[in-house]
Amino acid sequence: MRILLTGSSGWLGRFLAPLLAGEGHAVIGLDVAPGAHTDVIGSVADAALVERLFAEQRFEAVVHSGALHKPDIARYPASAFVDVNVSGTLHLLEAAVRHGAGRFVFTSTTSLMITRAIREEAGAAAAWLDETSGPLAPRNIYGVTKRSAEELCRLWHDLHGLPVVVLRTARFFPEDDDTLAVPSGENLKANEFLNRRLTVEDCAAAHIAALEAAPRVGWGLYVVSAPPPFTPADAARLKHDAAALIAERFPEAPALYAARGWVLPESIGRVYDPSAIERNLGFRCRTDFAAVLAALREARAMPFTHDPGYVPPKEMVR
């Protein structure tokens, strides 16, 4: 297929573009910053550019992973989020229908599921979050605009029959967390594979599965995260006794962590449940918390990327 990939210079794009090409697709990358997989420099907020690309390239599918993200809140005004995340998505949807593209995959975020109460972890038990969770009340402009874009995707499927799959991806960024400092670095990322993280490689693979399934699914919305080693029945213990519960599930974890100077979480306030995408699309992340422990046991590099010096390409051309 001829595929338009937005965000082709970004962290996900640099893994997703070669994966799509390896599947035999002809990929045209669009990004505001240059990159190895970017063919066109420009923004999805530019409706004329989007229309020209569709008219010239006759795309058969769109994988829309370009966006302003949560750390960008400190760098861009709210209006820029609306322009890129909402209007940009609308431009792509309209062009996809107008020019007969047969499938559309949209990269969304689990962040939009986090209300202020969930963010503050005020409940007596961990919040168990899946596609049915709600009511949704995103706590920042990033979440609000991604939620709005999801609704545009749903509406364009309803109105025009465009096959659309939305992926609410958990964390896969390589840099340090912009709000959490303890524990830091690799320790924090390793812990998050228990409840709220996946590798960028798994994220890219999920997009391939969504692209293939879109015509069959018609409309689908899925949480994408490493499978948690817990069930909803564990929610209360996760909030108050997480380290002991983890040690029960993984008896070697405390010693492996201690040898590295790491700490297990004492409390986990939320868990993302990706069981629907496994059930409906047959996709399951390859890297999970057990893989992290295996790397510790065997003194190998972590099976995820940690790069505290990572700078998004778009910030290097501002």
Side-chain angles (χ1 to χ4, degrees), residues 44-100:
V44 294
D46 184 343
L49 172 62
V50 170
E51 172 62 23
R52 177 174 64 79
L53 284 175
F54 272 83
E56 291 175 353
Q57 299 292 338
R58 311 304 298 182
F59 297 117
E60 298 166 87
V62 177
V63 179
H64 180 26
S65 67
L68 290 182
H69 299 281
K70 189 249 185 181
D72 291 319
I73 292 173
R75 300 188 281 251
Y76 295 85
S79 59
F81 280 81
V82 175
D83 291 343
V84 174
N85 293 358
V86 182
S87 296
T89 303
L90 178 59
H91 297 155
L92 292 167
L93 289 165
E94 289 180 325
V97 169
R98 190 160 50 243
H99 292 278

Side-chain angles (χ1 to χ4, degrees), residues 94-183:
E94 289 180 325
V97 169
R98 190 160 50 243
H99 292 278
R103 56 192 83 187
F104 195 105
V105 176
F106 175 60
T107 311
S108 189
T109 173
T110 52
S111 179
L112 62 81
M113 303 166 67
I114 309 305
T115 63
R116 187 173 299 277
I118 293 174
R119 177 72 175 84
E120 295 173 353
E121 299 186 354
W128 193 267
L129 301 170
D130 62 16
E131 298 80 3
T132 67
S133 298
L136 299 177
R139 69 188 189 283
N140 54 40
I141 190 63
Y142 171 54
V144 167
T145 54
K146 294 297 273 189
R147 176 63 180 144
S148 298
E150 284 188 356
E151 282 298 292
L152 286 173
C153 288
R154 179 197 56 78
L155 182 62
W156 250 245
H157 167 72
D158 287 349
L159 292 178
H160 305 287
L162 177 66
V164 181
V165 176
V166 172
L167 299 179
R168 285 184 183 167
T169 62
R171 294 175 157 212
F172 60 89
F173 55 80
E175 63 265 44
D176 281 322
D177 189 283
D178 62 343
T179 56
L180 299 176
V182 180

